[in-house]
Amino acid sequence: MQPPFTVSLEARDIACERGGRVLFQGLDFALKPGEALLVSGPNGAGKTSLLRQLAGLLPLEAGHLSAPGTEAGMAVAEFCHYVGHLNAVKSAFTVRENLAFWADFLGDGDVDNALAAFGLDALAEISAGLLSAGQRRKLGLSRLFAAPRPIWLLDEPSVSLDTASVKRLDAAIRDHLKAGGIAIVSTHVPLKTKFTKQLTLGLERAA
């Protein structure tokens, strides 16, 4: 799928349980093309679990997810890019090979575009095992550009990034939203992204 994107996202009455403990329940939100959601809350409130549920990596305890504007029967996860705490970088591969893997796996990819997104062009033939923590994070984020997806799920995306790279991240999210994409971001570091909506988890336990 190429931008401009037309996919929406709806979560209805969803719940999450981990290790016999209910993290959240009865959760509802809806996002239209071009909208961004900031997910906040204390540690253990379920921010990462929510993003993993949207990505199809954790099951819903209850509720329903849908992506209006897509073909009937397609799972929400099919339209998502998920960048979690781990960078999903294979150290034995070069930077280019890592991105080529994602471009091939996701289909319709553009490795050169992904390399340019966070300024990794000069490191393309370097083994990923030699990268600094910040460079590895940029490589992990660069797979957002290895193949287009309308929904970005970003869990603490600015971790290990320097100031210039955080600005690139902000610009990337802004451009994605302008193209009709959706961004759902969990972060403790302020971003300049203009979030359309905010969801705070854990309020019921703090009350």
Side-chain angles (χ1 to χ4, degrees):
M1 180 182 297
Q2 295 286 349
F5 300 116
T6 59
V7 175
S8 297
L9 175 63
E10 294 183 358
R12 299 300 179 205
D13 199 30
I14 64 173
C16 180
E17 180 179 322
R18 301 294 305 275
R21 184 169 70 97
V22 176
L23 298 181
F24 54 79
Q25 58 188 346
L27 200 63
D28 295 293
F29 61 85
L31 296 168
K32 298 177 182 178
E35 293 188 332
L37 174 68
L38 175 64
V39 181
S40 59
N43 292 338
K47 301 184 296 296
T48 293
S49 294
L50 172 60
L51 294 185
R52 289 176 62 82
Q53 283 183 323
L54 296 173
L57 302 175
L58 284 178
L60 295 176
E61 184 66 21
H64 178 68
L65 298 172
S66 62
T70 64
E71 295 181 22
M74 295 190 71
V76 167
E78 295 290 328
F79 304 99
C80 294
H81 263 312
Y82 171 67
V83 178
H85 292 159
L86 301 179
N87 294 314
V89 169
K90 190 169 182 62
S91 297
F93 285 2
T94 65
V95 169
R96 181 183 295 279
E97 288 169 342
N98 270 278
L99 291 173
F101 168 81
W102 285 110
D104 181 64
F105 180 76
L106 297 170
D108 194 26
D110 185 340
V111 174
D112 289 335
N113 182 52
L115 284 168
F118 283 92
L120 295 177
D121 313 67
L123 302 176
E125 308 309 325
I126 298 295
S127 169
L130 300 177
L131 299 179
S132 68
Q135 289 169 335
R136 290 173 70 89
R137 190 56 172 173
K138 287 191 282 187
L139 177 53
L141 288 166
S142 291
R143 71 174 181 272
L144 295 168
F145 300 89
R149 288 292 186 275
I151 303 173
W152 287 5
L153 309 172
L154 309 179
D155 196 358
E156 299 293 346
S158 61
V159 169
S160 300
L161 294 183
D162 56 25
T163 301
S165 297
V166 172
K167 289 181 179 179
R168 280 187 183 239
L169 173 63
D170 266 317
I173 296 174
R174 182 177 62 249
D175 291 344
H176 181 63
L177 298 177
K178 285 182 178 178
I182 289 172
I184 301 178
V185 184
S186 171
T187 179
H188 288 99
V189 177
L191 296 174
K192 292 185 178 179
T193 299
K194 293 183 178 179
F195 290 96
T196 315
K197 301 179 181 180
Q198 183 166 346
L199 175 65
T200 304
L201 300 178
L203 289 179
E204 69 282 357
R205 291 198 294 277

